[in-house]
Amino acid sequence: MLAAESGVIWVPRVHWGLFIATYLFLGGVSGGSYVTSVSAQLIRGRASSDVEWQSRDETSRWGSLLSVVAIGVGTGALLYHLGAPLRALTFAWNFTNYGSWLVIGTWLIVIFSTLATLDLVWNFFGSEKQGRTSGSFFVRRILGWIAIGGEPVVLNLLDRFSDITKPPQKLHTAIRVFGAFLGMGVIVYTSMLLSDLWTCPLWNRTYLPPLFLMSGISTGLAATVAMPAIFDGLTETVHQYSLADDALIVVELGILLAFYNFLQGRTGCMASQATVDSLNSVFSMPFWVGVVGLGLLTPLAMSLVMTGASALFDLDERSHTWHQIFRAGYVLKYSLVLVGGFFLRYVIIFAAVKLPLTVA
C-alpha cells in the first residue's frame, strides 16, 4: 500500500530486518579479514625478529579462519531471511542474468568461500602443522577431541587432505593474492547490488562502493588483528596494523562526510532531504553516535593517544601493567571499529528513503 505524506506518494519501505544488515556486515568482515591475512603473509618475511615473524604468521592464520567463519555465518543469515534457503542451491542453472550484480555476487561468494575454505585447510592442517600450539591452532585442539578408538579421525583426515592438495609455496601465495581480490569483490558487490536501485539516494553508486570497501577492509583488519592481541599480547605488528587501520578510517570518514554533504546539497531532491532529516532524527543515534562517534572518531582518538604515548615512553622499559593497559586499549579500539561497521550497514539499510512515485 502506498502512503501519502504532505501531498507526496512514497514507495512503501521494504522490511529487510537485521539479518540483511548482519549479512552485509559479515560479508565485509570476511573479505577484509582475508585481505589482512594475505598482507600479513606477504610482509612476514620482512619481520625484524622471530617474535614479529610469529605475530605476523598468527595474524595471517587468524584472518584465514575469520574470513571463513564470517562468510559462513553471513550467508546463513541471508538464507534464513530468504525463507527458502534450499532454492539457493539451484543458483548455477537458475541465475542466468550474468549482467546482474545479484548473479555476479552469488558467484563471487561461492568462488571466494571455496577458495578461502581450501586455504583454511592448508593453513591449519598437514603434517608440518602437527604439534603447533599457538593461539590460532585451537582449531586443531578441538578437532583432536573427536576421536574413534583413540584416534583423532577428523584431524587425521584433514591433515592427509592438506598434504595431498596443498600447492607449492609460490603457487599458494598466488592463489591467496587472487583470493584477496575476490574478497574485495565480495565487499564491493553488496554495495553494487544495493545501488542498482537508483531511486534510493542513500544507495548512491558513486559513494557507496568505496565507503563499503574501506569499511569492509577496516572491520576485517580489526577483527583479525584483535585476535593475536588477545591471545599473544602486544606486539609491533598489532601497532603497525593499527596505524594502517587509522588510514582506512580517515579515508572512510572522508567518504562518509562527502556523501552526507552530497545528500544535503541536493535541495531539489525530496528523497535526499528526507534521508538527511532521517539521519538527523530517527537514526541520529546509530549514525552520528554509532558510526561516526564510536566507529570512526573514537578509534582514531584512541590510536592517537596510544601512538603518542608509545613515542614518548619506552614501553619495553615499562611494567607488565602498562603492557596490559595498551593491549586492552588496542582490543577496545578494534572492537569499536567493528561496532561502527555494523551500525554503518544498519543505517544504510534502515535509513534508506526512496524517491516519491508522484505528487498527489
Side-chain angles (χ1 to χ4, degrees), residues 22-199:
T22 301
Y23 163 67
L24 297 178
F25 168 67
L26 290 177
V29 170
S30 177
S33 295
Y34 199 84
V35 170
T36 306
S37 173
V38 175
S39 71
Q41 178 194 346
L42 293 177
I43 66 173
R44 185 177 56 187
R46 302 177 185 176
S48 58
S49 65
D50 291 341
V51 172
E52 287 308 314
W53 191 97
Q54 177 66 24
S55 179
R56 293 174 184 181
D57 189 53
E58 274 291 279
T59 300
S60 180
R61 233 182 339 268
W62 277 114
S64 175
L65 175 62
L66 290 174
S67 67
V68 174
V69 172
I71 199 67
V73 176
T75 302
L78 175 64
L79 294 178
Y80 179 82
H81 170 80
L82 293 177
L86 293 180
R87 292 182 182 177
L89 300 177
T90 65
F91 79 93
W93 54 87
N94 284 336
F95 287 14
T96 57
N97 182 12
Y98 297 107
S100 166
W101 274 101
L102 177 63
V103 178
I104 295 171
T106 301
W107 279 105
L108 275 173
I109 290 174
V110 170
I111 297 172
F112 172 72
S113 300
T114 302
L115 187 149
T117 303
L118 272 174
D119 189 46
L120 173 68
V121 174
W122 296 335
N123 285 327
F124 281 86
F125 303 99
S127 55
E128 63 178 11
K129 301 297 192 301
Q130 294 174 0
R132 300 284 292 273
T133 58
S134 55
S136 62
F137 280 106
F138 78 94
V139 175
R140 292 187 60 88
R141 292 193 290 273
I142 291 175
L143 292 177
W145 298 338
I146 306 174
I148 299 177
E151 290 292 324
V153 179
V154 176
L155 186 59
N156 289 341
L157 285 174
L158 288 171
D159 281 341
R160 194 172 300 118
F161 178 81
S162 178
D163 287 336
I164 294 172
T165 61
K166 187 175 181 179
Q169 184 61 45
K170 288 185 178 180
L171 178 57
H172 185 195
T173 300
I175 292 173
R176 300 202 78 211
V177 171
F178 175 67
F181 282 101
L182 286 177
M184 288 188 283
V186 169
I187 299 172
V188 172
Y189 127 77
T190 54
S191 63
M192 298 299 288
L193 181 63
L194 292 177
S195 62
D196 271 344
L197 186 60
W198 62 270
T199 57

Side-chain angles (χ1 to χ4, degrees), residues 96-340:
T96 57
N97 182 12
Y98 297 107
S100 166
W101 274 101
L102 177 63
V103 178
I104 295 171
T106 301
W107 279 105
L108 275 173
I109 290 174
V110 170
I111 297 172
F112 172 72
S113 300
T114 302
L115 187 149
T117 303
L118 272 174
D119 189 46
L120 173 68
V121 174
W122 296 335
N123 285 327
F124 281 86
F125 303 99
S127 55
E128 63 178 11
K129 301 297 192 301
Q130 294 174 0
R132 300 284 292 273
T133 58
S134 55
S136 62
F137 280 106
F138 78 94
V139 175
R140 292 187 60 88
R141 292 193 290 273
I142 291 175
L143 292 177
W145 298 338
I146 306 174
I148 299 177
E151 290 292 324
V153 179
V154 176
L155 186 59
N156 289 341
L157 285 174
L158 288 171
D159 281 341
R160 194 172 300 118
F161 178 81
S162 178
D163 287 336
I164 294 172
T165 61
K166 187 175 181 179
Q169 184 61 45
K170 288 185 178 180
L171 178 57
H172 185 195
T173 300
I175 292 173
R176 300 202 78 211
V177 171
F178 175 67
F181 282 101
L182 286 177
M184 288 188 283
V186 169
I187 299 172
V188 172
Y189 127 77
T190 54
S191 63
M192 298 299 288
L193 181 63
L194 292 177
S195 62
D196 271 344
L197 186 60
W198 62 270
T199 57
C200 180
L202 200 54
W203 297 348
N204 181 278
R205 180 155 289 184
T206 300
Y207 292 96
L208 199 59
L211 180 62
F212 268 32
L213 180 61
M214 291 298 104
S215 175
I217 297 177
S218 175
T219 53
L221 184 155
T224 299
V225 183
M227 302 312 292
I230 293 171
F231 285 92
D232 303 320
L234 186 61
T235 65
E236 185 63 24
T237 299
V238 173
H239 174 65
Q240 290 171 347
Y241 270 105
S242 177
L243 296 178
D245 198 33
D246 291 343
L248 292 169
I249 291 173
V250 169
V251 175
E252 181 185 350
L253 182 60
I255 296 171
L256 186 63
L257 294 180
F259 193 5
Y260 179 83
N261 288 333
F262 166 76
L263 293 173
Q264 196 174 41
R266 298 182 70 194
T267 55
C269 177
M270 300 180 68
S272 293
Q273 295 308 304
T275 300
V276 172
D277 291 342
S278 180
L279 293 176
N280 290 323
S281 56
V282 178
F283 294 97
S284 61
M285 285 296 289
F287 179 64
W288 291 110
V289 178
V291 179
V292 179
L294 292 178
L296 298 174
L297 294 180
T298 302
L300 277 178
M302 292 181 66
S303 184
L304 180 63
V305 170
M306 290 187 290
T307 301
S310 299
L312 291 174
F313 306 104
D314 186 359
L315 289 182
D316 291 334
E317 301 298 327
R318 298 284 161 175
S319 67
H320 176 70
T321 302
W322 277 104
H323 276 269
Q324 293 299 94
I325 291 173
F326 272 75
R327 178 182 182 180
Y330 279 112
V331 172
L332 177 59
K333 175 204 170 178
Y334 290 135
S335 300
L336 290 176
V337 170
L338 289 168
V339 169

